Amino acid sequence: RAKRNGRNSVHHFGNEQAEELRERLSIGSRLRDAVRNDELVLYYQPQVSSYDSRIIGMEALVRWDTKDMGLLPPRRFIGVAEELGIIVELGRWVLRAACREARTWHDFGCNDVRVAVNVSALQLQRLSFIDEVCDALESSGLPADLLELEITESAIMENVERATEIMNALRELGVHLALDDFGIGYSSLAHLRRFPIDKLKIDQSFVRDVAQESGEAAIVRAITAMGHELQLKVMAEGVETAAQIGYLKRNHCDEFQGYVFGEPVPAARAVTLLKRRFLGPDLASHHVVERG
Ligand code: C2E
Ligand code: MG
Ligand code: MG
Ligand code: MG
């Protein structure tokens, strides 16, 4: 079998697009093997309650540990995986690995911490996805209630009927559903009301400027109010500063995820965080101030 040596065997194009295409092709051809050869790694980022900074969940975020290009972030290969259909197999691997890991948290006493797993559009169009979720739960022994699937509006809108059917089935299993990157998609409010979801994750682009009383602040307030009106939990993602925390708490956001509470970390480090259960000693004093 011919071994491809990406950098040297291909002509060096002068323009950026050609360069990008070359990288995508080379990545795509290696990705399928990577899934099988266990080159993927899951990192975990804490999700906390806004009321007491307690860890209530961990989002599994995939990385690709390549031998020659280092640890690749998902933006370097998830798009390619989606284009080539590899995302189905990759997603199945992520789901199983995340459930297995979360079961170990459960076993050492964190029996109410959910693992959140990202689902891509293609997975959400296949009825067999329901079986894959069942299998992952059964083989790991993780209670369905401790799995949260993060789905984007755009993934649902690719095929609303099918996606809703699948979401209903997952909900019946007891799995939780969150709408990821909420606010940048294009589902109508009429749709939103019918989606069988538990949570809105406000996209980080709105969270960024929230402390400046900007248009973003108004959007976050509106999303939060609407989410609560629909009996949904509301989580802010991409929370980076104490000022953002303050604003979000004043506006009754239920849950936070972001660098200020912790970046995505390898599984072993995630266990250390979980054994502590509460994040950010500096944030403890912040609570006292905000509660007044
Ligand atoms: P996402 O699901 O919206 O995940 C949140 C992303 O924001 C993560 O990037 C996380 O590291 C980053 N993030 C968290 N807190 C902060 C913060 O305070 N500031 C900033 N600037 N960023 C923050 P990551 O790990 O690079 O993942 C990017 C995207 O790749 C994810 O966005 C998700 O759409 C996709 N992805 C990751 N893992 C998987 C997977 O297993 N399957 C699928 N289908 N997609 C995945
Ligand atoms: Mg996500
Ligand atoms: Mg997101
Ligand atoms: Mg995102």
Side-chain angles (χ1 to χ4, degrees), residues 22-41:
R22 187 184 59 78
E23 187 192 275
R24 290 170 84 78
L25 288 173
S26 124
I27 281 187
S29 68
R30 293 173 44 181
L31 192 53
R32 213 177 287 272
D33 289 336
V35 180
R36 296 188 183 136
N37 297 339
D38 253 10
E39 287 179 39
L40 300 180
V41 198

Side-chain angles (χ1 to χ4, degrees), residues 254-275:
D254 305 291
E255 298 168 359
F256 300 143
Q257 180 179 351
Y259 293 163
V260 71
F261 294 97
E263 293 181 17
V265 291
R269 176 83 187 124
V271 166
T272 311
L273 295 176
L274 280 170
K275 288 188 168 161

Side-chain angles (χ1 to χ4, degrees), residues 183-204:
I184 60 169
Y186 51 93
S187 59
S188 70
L189 297 179
H191 277 124
L192 184 63
R193 196 168 51 81
R194 280 195 293 269
F195 294 155
I197 52 170
D198 303 279
K199 185 181 294 183
L200 299 178
K201 287 187 77 176
I202 305 176
D203 189 71
Q204 49 190 61

Side-chain angles (χ1 to χ4, degrees), residues 59 118 150 180 201:
E59 180 174 4
N118 292 286
E150 298 196 354
D180 204 352
K201 287 187 77 176

